[in-house]
PDB file of all heavy atoms in Angstrom:
ATOM      1  N   ASP A  30      21.967  46.098 -20.643  1.00  0.00           N
ATOM      2  CA  ASP A  30      21.292  47.309 -20.156  1.00  0.00           C
ATOM      3  C   ASP A  30      21.829  48.560 -20.840  1.00  0.00           C
ATOM      4  O   ASP A  30      21.067  49.490 -21.142  1.00  0.00           O
ATOM      5  CB  ASP A  30      21.455  47.417 -18.641  1.00  0.00           C
ATOM      6  CG  ASP A  30      20.603  46.408 -17.890  1.00  0.00           C
ATOM      7  OD1 ASP A  30      19.507  46.093 -18.381  1.00  0.00           O
ATOM      8  OD2 ASP A  30      21.044  45.920 -16.827  1.00  0.00           O
ATOM      9  N   ALA A  31      23.145  48.594 -21.098  1.00  0.00           N
ATOM     10  CA  ALA A  31      23.731  49.766 -21.748  1.00  0.00           C
ATOM     11  C   ALA A  31      23.193  49.930 -23.174  1.00  0.00           C
ATOM     12  O   ALA A  31      22.860  51.049 -23.597  1.00  0.00           O
ATOM     13  CB  ALA A  31      25.257  49.636 -21.774  1.00  0.00           C
ATOM     14  N   LEU A  32      23.084  48.845 -23.919  1.00  0.00           N
ATOM     15  CA  LEU A  32      22.536  48.919 -25.275  1.00  0.00           C
ATOM     16  C   LEU A  32      21.061  49.277 -25.248  1.00  0.00           C
ATOM     17  O   LEU A  32      20.574  50.041 -26.102  1.00  0.00           O
ATOM     18  CB  LEU A  32      22.746  47.582 -25.993  1.00  0.00           C
ATOM     19  CG  LEU A  32      24.201  47.192 -26.288  1.00  0.00           C
ATOM     20  CD1 LEU A  32      24.267  45.802 -26.905  1.00  0.00           C
ATOM     21  CD2 LEU A  32      24.867  48.201 -27.210  1.00  0.00           C
ATOM     22  N   HIS A  33      20.344  48.722 -24.283  1.00  0.00           N
ATOM     23  CA  HIS A  33      18.918  49.055 -24.154  1.00  0.00           C
ATOM     24  C   HIS A  33      18.742  50.549 -23.877  1.00  0.00           C
ATOM     25  O   HIS A  33      17.870  51.207 -24.473  1.00  0.00           O
ATOM     26  CB  HIS A  33      18.311  48.226 -23.024  1.00  0.00           C
ATOM     27  CG  HIS A  33      16.909  48.611 -22.676  1.00  0.00           C
ATOM     28  ND1 HIS A  33      15.835  48.345 -23.500  1.00  0.00           N
ATOM     29  CD2 HIS A  33      16.397  49.275 -21.587  1.00  0.00           C
ATOM     30  CE1 HIS A  33      14.724  48.813 -22.946  1.00  0.00           C
ATOM     31  NE2 HIS A  33      15.046  49.382 -21.791  1.00  0.00           N
ATOM     32  N   ASN A  34      19.563  51.096 -23.005  1.00  0.00           N
ATOM     33  CA  ASN A  34      19.428  52.520 -22.650  1.00  0.00           C
ATOM     34  C   ASN A  34      19.847  53.440 -23.786  1.00  0.00           C
ATOM     35  O   ASN A  34      19.237  54.492 -23.998  1.00  0.00           O
ATOM     36  CB  ASN A  34      20.273  52.818 -21.405  1.00  0.00           C
ATOM     37  CG  ASN A  34      19.744  52.121 -20.164  1.00  0.00           C
ATOM     38  OD1 ASN A  34      18.547  51.832 -20.074  1.00  0.00           O
ATOM     39  ND2 ASN A  34      20.622  51.830 -19.220  1.00  0.00           N
ATOM     40  N   GLU A  35      20.894  53.057 -24.537  1.00  0.00           N
ATOM     41  CA  GLU A  35      21.385  53.941 -25.591  1.00  0.00           C
ATOM     42  C   GLU A  35      20.545  53.883 -26.860  1.00  0.00           C
ATOM     43  O   GLU A  35      20.237  54.912 -27.465  1.00  0.00           O
ATOM     44  CB  GLU A  35      22.835  53.594 -25.934  1.00  0.00           C
ATOM     45  CG  GLU A  35      23.405  54.469 -27.050  1.00  0.00           C
ATOM     46  CD  GLU A  35      24.904  54.295 -27.237  1.00  0.00           C
ATOM     47  OE1 GLU A  35      25.582  53.856 -26.273  1.00  0.00           O
ATOM     48  OE2 GLU A  35      25.404  54.614 -28.329  1.00  0.00           O
ATOM     49  N   PHE A  36      20.164  52.657 -27.278  1.00  0.00           N
ATOM     50  CA  PHE A  36      19.478  52.498 -28.565  1.00  0.00           C
ATOM     51  C   PHE A  36      17.987  52.231 -28.418  1.00  0.00           C
ATOM     52  O   PHE A  36      17.255  52.275 -29.413  1.00  0.00           O
ATOM     53  CB  PHE A  36      20.113  51.352 -29.357  1.00  0.00           C
ATOM     54  CG  PHE A  36      21.554  51.587 -29.714  1.00  0.00           C
ATOM     55  CD1 PHE A  36      22.566  50.871 -29.091  1.00  0.00           C
ATOM     56  CD2 PHE A  36      21.910  52.524 -30.675  1.00  0.00           C
ATOM     57  CE1 PHE A  36      23.900  51.078 -29.413  1.00  0.00           C
ATOM     58  CE2 PHE A  36      23.238  52.748 -31.008  1.00  0.00           C
ATOM     59  CZ  PHE A  36      24.234  52.022 -30.371  1.00  0.00           C
ATOM     60  N   GLY A  37      17.527  51.901 -27.191  1.00  0.00           N
ATOM     61  CA  GLY A  37      16.122  51.589 -26.999  1.00  0.00           C
ATOM     62  C   GLY A  37      15.735  50.201 -27.461  1.00  0.00           C
ATOM     63  O   GLY A  37      14.538  49.896 -27.595  1.00  0.00           O
ATOM     64  N   TRP A  38      16.709  49.342 -27.721  1.00  0.00           N
ATOM     65  CA  TRP A  38      16.406  47.979 -28.163  1.00  0.00           C
ATOM     66  C   TRP A  38      15.893  47.161 -26.983  1.00  0.00           C
ATOM     67  O   TRP A  38      16.384  47.281 -25.856  1.00  0.00           O
ATOM     68  CB  TRP A  38      17.658  47.306 -28.741  1.00  0.00           C
ATOM     69  CG  TRP A  38      18.264  48.034 -29.905  1.00  0.00           C
ATOM     70  CD1 TRP A  38      17.643  48.921 -30.734  1.00  0.00           C
ATOM     71  CD2 TRP A  38      19.621  47.951 -30.357  1.00  0.00           C
ATOM     72  NE1 TRP A  38      18.521  49.395 -31.677  1.00  0.00           N
ATOM     73  CE2 TRP A  38      19.743  48.811 -31.477  1.00  0.00           C
ATOM     74  CE3 TRP A  38      20.737  47.226 -29.939  1.00  0.00           C
ATOM     75  CZ2 TRP A  38      20.940  48.965 -32.178  1.00  0.00           C
ATOM     76  CZ3 TRP A  38      21.924  47.377 -30.626  1.00  0.00           C
ATOM     77  CH2 TRP A  38      22.020  48.235 -31.738  1.00  0.00           C
ATOM     78  N   SER A  39      14.916  46.279 -27.231  1.00  0.00           N
ATOM     79  CA  SER A  39      14.396  45.417 -26.174  1.00  0.00           C
ATOM     80  C   SER A  39      15.421  44.338 -25.838  1.00  0.00           C
ATOM     81  O   SER A  39      16.339  44.043 -26.626  1.00  0.00           O
ATOM     82  CB  SER A  39      13.089  44.760 -26.627  1.00  0.00           C
ATOM     83  OG  SER A  39      13.332  43.823 -27.660  1.00  0.00           O
ATOM     84  N   LEU A  40      15.259  43.715 -24.655  1.00  0.00           N
ATOM     85  CA  LEU A  40      16.153  42.628 -24.278  1.00  0.00           C
ATOM     86  C   LEU A  40      16.005  41.437 -25.213  1.00  0.00           C
ATOM     87  O   LEU A  40      16.965  40.710 -25.461  1.00  0.00           O
ATOM     88  CB  LEU A  40      15.883  42.202 -22.830  1.00  0.00           C
ATOM     89  CG  LEU A  40      16.207  43.216 -21.741  1.00  0.00           C
ATOM     90  CD1 LEU A  40      16.017  42.598 -20.367  1.00  0.00           C
ATOM     91  CD2 LEU A  40      17.625  43.745 -21.882  1.00  0.00           C
ATOM     92  N   GLY A  41      14.788  41.258 -25.752  1.00  0.00           N
ATOM     93  CA  GLY A  41      14.593  40.186 -26.729  1.00  0.00           C
ATOM     94  C   GLY A  41      15.411  40.410 -27.988  1.00  0.00           C
ATOM     95  O   GLY A  41      15.981  39.482 -28.554  1.00  0.00           O
ATOM     96  N   THR A  42      15.466  41.661 -28.452  1.00  0.00           N
ATOM     97  CA  THR A  42      16.252  41.993 -29.644  1.00  0.00           C
ATOM     98  C   THR A  42      17.735  41.781 -29.398  1.00  0.00           C
ATOM     99  O   THR A  42      18.447  41.193 -30.225  1.00  0.00           O
ATOM    100  CB  THR A  42      16.002  43.459 -30.045  1.00  0.00           C
ATOM    101  OG1 THR A  42      14.618  43.627 -30.370  1.00  0.00           O
ATOM    102  CG2 THR A  42      16.842  43.845 -31.252  1.00  0.00           C
ATOM    103  N   ILE A  43      18.222  42.237 -28.253  1.00  0.00           N
ATOM    104  CA  ILE A  43      19.645  42.065 -27.937  1.00  0.00           C
ATOM    105  C   ILE A  43      19.968  40.594 -27.735  1.00  0.00           C
ATOM    106  O   ILE A  43      21.022  40.098 -28.165  1.00  0.00           O
ATOM    107  CB  ILE A  43      20.004  42.883 -26.677  1.00  0.00           C
ATOM    108  CG1 ILE A  43      19.722  44.366 -26.920  1.00  0.00           C
ATOM    109  CG2 ILE A  43      21.461  42.677 -26.300  1.00  0.00           C
ATOM    110  CD1 ILE A  43      19.788  45.218 -25.669  1.00  0.00           C
ATOM    111  N   SER A  44      19.041  39.854 -27.125  1.00  0.00           N
ATOM    112  CA  SER A  44      19.255  38.417 -26.915  1.00  0.00           C
ATOM    113  C   SER A  44      19.327  37.662 -28.235  1.00  0.00           C
ATOM    114  O   SER A  44      19.957  36.600 -28.306  1.00  0.00           O
ATOM    115  CB  SER A  44      18.128  37.843 -26.051  1.00  0.00           C
ATOM    116  OG  SER A  44      18.125  38.410 -24.765  1.00  0.00           O
ATOM    117  N   ALA A  45      18.675  38.209 -29.287  1.00  0.00           N
ATOM    118  CA  ALA A  45      18.732  37.541 -30.593  1.00  0.00           C
ATOM    119  C   ALA A  45      20.166  37.469 -31.094  1.00  0.00           C
ATOM    120  O   ALA A  45      20.588  36.451 -31.659  1.00  0.00           O
ATOM    121  CB  ALA A  45      17.848  38.284 -31.600  1.00  0.00           C
ATOM    122  N   ALA A  46      20.940  38.551 -30.906  1.00  0.00           N
ATOM    123  CA  ALA A  46      22.347  38.526 -31.312  1.00  0.00           C
ATOM    124  C   ALA A  46      23.120  37.487 -30.509  1.00  0.00           C
ATOM    125  O   ALA A  46      23.966  36.761 -31.047  1.00  0.00           O
ATOM    126  CB  ALA A  46      22.975  39.910 -31.131  1.00  0.00           C
ATOM    127  N   THR A  47      22.824  37.395 -29.207  1.00  0.00           N
ATOM    128  CA  THR A  47      23.479  36.382 -28.381  1.00  0.00           C
ATOM    129  C   THR A  47      23.102  34.988 -28.844  1.00  0.00           C
ATOM    130  O   THR A  47      23.940  34.074 -28.857  1.00  0.00           O
ATOM    131  CB  THR A  47      23.085  36.577 -26.903  1.00  0.00           C
ATOM    132  OG1 THR A  47      23.405  37.911 -26.504  1.00  0.00           O
ATOM    133  CG2 THR A  47      23.816  35.592 -26.016  1.00  0.00           C
ATOM    134  N   SER A  48      21.842  34.802 -29.249  1.00  0.00           N
ATOM    135  CA  SER A  48      21.405  33.489 -29.736  1.00  0.00           C
ATOM    136  C   SER A  48      22.154  33.095 -31.005  1.00  0.00           C
ATOM    137  O   SER A  48      22.567  31.946 -31.163  1.00  0.00           O
ATOM    138  CB  SER A  48      19.897  33.505 -30.008  1.00  0.00           C
ATOM    139  OG  SER A  48      19.172  33.682 -28.813  1.00  0.00           O
ATOM    140  N   VAL A  49      22.335  34.056 -31.922  1.00  0.00           N
ATOM    141  CA  VAL A  49      23.099  33.764 -33.142  1.00  0.00           C
ATOM    142  C   VAL A  49      24.539  33.414 -32.781  1.00  0.00           C
ATOM    143  O   VAL A  49      25.131  32.467 -33.322  1.00  0.00           O
ATOM    144  CB  VAL A  49      23.057  34.977 -34.099  1.00  0.00           C
ATOM    145  CG1 VAL A  49      24.009  34.771 -35.276  1.00  0.00           C
ATOM    146  CG2 VAL A  49      21.641  35.201 -34.604  1.00  0.00           C
ATOM    147  N   ASN A  50      25.122  34.173 -31.857  1.00  0.00           N
ATOM    148  CA  ASN A  50      26.481  33.907 -31.404  1.00  0.00           C
ATOM    149  C   ASN A  50      26.607  32.494 -30.852  1.00  0.00           C
ATOM    150  O   ASN A  50      27.509  31.732 -31.220  1.00  0.00           O
ATOM    151  CB  ASN A  50      26.861  34.940 -30.336  1.00  0.00           C
ATOM    152  CG  ASN A  50      28.254  34.743 -29.766  1.00  0.00           C
ATOM    153  OD1 ASN A  50      28.517  33.776 -29.075  1.00  0.00           O
ATOM    154  ND2 ASN A  50      29.142  35.683 -30.048  1.00  0.00           N
ATOM    155  N   LEU A  51      25.690  32.111 -29.965  1.00  0.00           N
ATOM    156  CA  LEU A  51      25.746  30.791 -29.337  1.00  0.00           C
ATOM    157  C   LEU A  51      25.527  29.679 -30.353  1.00  0.00           C
ATOM    158  O   LEU A  51      26.172  28.627 -30.290  1.00  0.00           O
ATOM    159  CB  LEU A  51      24.699  30.708 -28.229  1.00  0.00           C
ATOM    160  CG  LEU A  51      24.953  31.595 -27.002  1.00  0.00           C
ATOM    161  CD1 LEU A  51      23.725  31.625 -26.095  1.00  0.00           C
ATOM    162  CD2 LEU A  51      26.173  31.118 -26.230  1.00  0.00           C
ATOM    163  N   THR A  52      24.615  29.914 -31.310  1.00  0.00           N
ATOM    164  CA  THR A  52      24.355  28.888 -32.325  1.00  0.00           C
ATOM    165  C   THR A  52      25.578  28.662 -33.204  1.00  0.00           C
ATOM    166  O   THR A  52      25.997  27.512 -33.439  1.00  0.00           O
ATOM    167  CB  THR A  52      23.164  29.310 -33.205  1.00  0.00           C
ATOM    168  OG1 THR A  52      22.007  29.480 -32.382  1.00  0.00           O
ATOM    169  CG2 THR A  52      22.868  28.253 -34.261  1.00  0.00           C
ATOM    170  N   LEU A  53      26.173  29.740 -33.707  1.00  0.00           N
ATOM    171  CA  LEU A  53      27.345  29.595 -34.559  1.00  0.00           C
ATOM    172  C   LEU A  53      28.540  29.076 -33.780  1.00  0.00           C
ATOM    173  O   LEU A  53      29.366  28.329 -34.317  1.00  0.00           O
ATOM    174  CB  LEU A  53      27.679  30.938 -35.215  1.00  0.00           C
ATOM    175  CG  LEU A  53      26.673  31.414 -36.267  1.00  0.00           C
ATOM    176  CD1 LEU A  53      27.065  32.777 -36.809  1.00  0.00           C
ATOM    177  CD2 LEU A  53      26.573  30.405 -37.409  1.00  0.00           C
ATOM    178  N   TYR A  54      28.637  29.460 -32.515  1.00  0.00           N
ATOM    179  CA  TYR A  54      29.680  28.916 -31.648  1.00  0.00           C
ATOM    180  C   TYR A  54      29.606  27.393 -31.638  1.00  0.00           C
ATOM    181  O   TYR A  54      30.623  26.698 -31.726  1.00  0.00           O
ATOM    182  CB  TYR A  54      29.490  29.484 -30.244  1.00  0.00           C
ATOM    183  CG  TYR A  54      30.436  28.929 -29.202  1.00  0.00           C
ATOM    184  CD1 TYR A  54      31.670  29.527 -28.968  1.00  0.00           C
ATOM    185  CD2 TYR A  54      30.082  27.827 -28.428  1.00  0.00           C
ATOM    186  CE1 TYR A  54      32.530  29.033 -28.001  1.00  0.00           C
ATOM    187  CE2 TYR A  54      30.932  27.327 -27.455  1.00  0.00           C
ATOM    188  CZ  TYR A  54      32.154  27.935 -27.248  1.00  0.00           C
ATOM    189  OH  TYR A  54      33.000  27.434 -26.293  1.00  0.00           O
ATOM    190  N   GLY A  55      28.387  26.869 -31.540  1.00  0.00           N
ATOM    191  CA  GLY A  55      28.231  25.418 -31.518  1.00  0.00           C
ATOM    192  C   GLY A  55      28.391  24.769 -32.873  1.00  0.00           C
ATOM    193  O   GLY A  55      29.070  23.738 -33.007  1.00  0.00           O
ATOM    194  N   LEU A  56      27.792  25.351 -33.910  1.00  0.00           N
ATOM    195  CA  LEU A  56      27.834  24.725 -35.237  1.00  0.00           C
ATOM    196  C   LEU A  56      29.221  24.772 -35.866  1.00  0.00           C
ATOM    197  O   LEU A  56      29.547  23.953 -36.724  1.00  0.00           O
ATOM    198  CB  LEU A  56      26.823  25.413 -36.160  1.00  0.00           C
ATOM    199  CG  LEU A  56      25.354  25.200 -35.807  1.00  0.00           C
ATOM    200  CD1 LEU A  56      24.463  25.985 -36.763  1.00  0.00           C
ATOM    201  CD2 LEU A  56      24.989  23.720 -35.856  1.00  0.00           C
ATOM    202  N   THR A  57      30.044  25.731 -35.446  1.00  0.00           N
ATOM    203  CA  THR A  57      31.400  25.826 -35.990  1.00  0.00           C
ATOM    204  C   THR A  57      32.316  24.750 -35.427  1.00  0.00           C
ATOM    205  O   THR A  57      33.246  24.292 -36.101  1.00  0.00           O
ATOM    206  CB  THR A  57      32.003  27.207 -35.673  1.00  0.00           C
ATOM    207  OG1 THR A  57      31.141  28.220 -36.187  1.00  0.00           O
ATOM    208  CG2 THR A  57      33.377  27.376 -36.296  1.00  0.00           C
ATOM    209  N   ALA A  58      32.042  24.302 -34.198  1.00  0.00           N
ATOM    210  CA  ALA A  58      32.963  23.415 -33.489  1.00  0.00           C
ATOM    211  C   ALA A  58      33.316  22.135 -34.254  1.00  0.00           C
ATOM    212  O   ALA A  58      34.504  21.804 -34.380  1.00  0.00           O
ATOM    213  CB  ALA A  58      32.396  23.084 -32.107  1.00  0.00           C
ATOM    214  N   PRO A  59      32.344  21.371 -34.774  1.00  0.00           N
ATOM    215  CA  PRO A  59      32.737  20.126 -35.455  1.00  0.00           C
ATOM    216  C   PRO A  59      33.542  20.363 -36.722  1.00  0.00           C
ATOM    217  O   PRO A  59      34.448  19.582 -37.044  1.00  0.00           O
ATOM    218  CB  PRO A  59      31.389  19.451 -35.759  1.00  0.00           C
ATOM    219  CG  PRO A  59      30.385  20.553 -35.726  1.00  0.00           C
ATOM    220  CD  PRO A  59      30.883  21.517 -34.704  1.00  0.00           C
ATOM    221  N   PHE A  60      33.235  21.447 -37.442  1.00  0.00           N
ATOM    222  CA  PHE A  60      34.002  21.742 -38.645  1.00  0.00           C
ATOM    223  C   PHE A  60      35.394  22.249 -38.283  1.00  0.00           C
ATOM    224  O   PHE A  60      36.370  21.972 -38.981  1.00  0.00           O
ATOM    225  CB  PHE A  60      33.256  22.770 -39.496  1.00  0.00           C
ATOM    226  CG  PHE A  60      31.909  22.304 -39.949  1.00  0.00           C
ATOM    227  CD1 PHE A  60      30.764  22.814 -39.374  1.00  0.00           C
ATOM    228  CD2 PHE A  60      31.778  21.333 -40.922  1.00  0.00           C
ATOM    229  CE1 PHE A  60      29.511  22.366 -39.774  1.00  0.00           C
ATOM    230  CE2 PHE A  60      30.529  20.882 -41.331  1.00  0.00           C
ATOM    231  CZ  PHE A  60      29.397  21.406 -40.751  1.00  0.00           C
ATOM    232  N   ALA A  61      35.483  22.974 -37.155  1.00  0.00           N
ATOM    233  CA  ALA A  61      36.793  23.449 -36.717  1.00  0.00           C
ATOM    234  C   ALA A  61      37.709  22.283 -36.386  1.00  0.00           C
ATOM    235  O   ALA A  61      38.909  22.319 -36.682  1.00  0.00           O
ATOM    236  CB  ALA A  61      36.635  24.361 -35.501  1.00  0.00           C
ATOM    237  N   ALA A  62      37.158  21.234 -35.759  1.00  0.00           N
ATOM    238  CA  ALA A  62      37.978  20.057 -35.441  1.00  0.00           C
ATOM    239  C   ALA A  62      38.534  19.428 -36.708  1.00  0.00           C
ATOM    240  O   ALA A  62      39.709  19.041 -36.767  1.00  0.00           O
ATOM    241  CB  ALA A  62      37.152  19.048 -34.651  1.00  0.00           C
ATOM    242  N   ALA A  63      37.697  19.326 -37.744  1.00  0.00           N
ATOM    243  CA  ALA A  63      38.173  18.756 -39.003  1.00  0.00           C
ATOM    244  C   ALA A  63      39.158  19.697 -39.696  1.00  0.00           C
ATOM    245  O   ALA A  63      40.143  19.251 -40.299  1.00  0.00           O
ATOM    246  CB  ALA A  63      36.986  18.468 -39.932  1.00  0.00           C
TER     247      ALA A  63
END
Side-chain angles (χ1 to χ4, degrees):
D30 287 327
L32 294 176
H33 172 71
N34 293 333
E35 179 170 337
F36 297 109
W38 301 338
S39 69
L40 294 186
T42 298
I43 300 169
S44 296
T47 304
S48 294
V49 172
N50 179 292
L51 292 169
T52 300
L53 291 178
Y54 176 89
L56 292 177
T57 304
F60 299 106

